[in-house]
Amino acid sequence: LVAYSFMVDALLFATVPSIGRYLPGQAGNALAGMPDAHLLAPAVGAAVVLAWTLVFVVAATVRTDRSDV
């Protein structure tokens, strides 16, 4: 997860900022108010972070429901 955050997220944002700004790390940077012209507005960043959180929660729930305990 850390490697993804530092490598994939940052690399995609550096090469294709129009797509990379919607990734979790860059949306979090927008929410934190980092000064970059390519980042989203803080309110939009909050919505994107919320959407990613919901995606991860749903994926974890589906994975847990399908696992044999």
Side-chain angles (χ1 to χ4, degrees):
L1 209 53
V2 173
Y4 165 80
S5 178
F6 284 115
M7 296 177 66
V8 175
D9 196 30
L11 184 63
L12 191 58
F13 181 69
T15 56
V16 188
S18 62
I19 295 172
R21 64 185 177 174
Y22 291 100
L23 295 174
Q26 300 306 323
N29 287 342
L31 181 60
M34 297 290 229
D36 191 336
H38 296 291
L39 288 175
L40 301 167
V44 177
V48 171
V49 167
L50 179 65
W52 277 107
T53 302
L54 291 174
V55 166
F56 289 132
V57 166
V58 168
T61 302
V62 168
R63 170 71 174 105
T64 302
D65 287 344
R66 292 185 179 182
S67 65
D68 186 25
V69 179

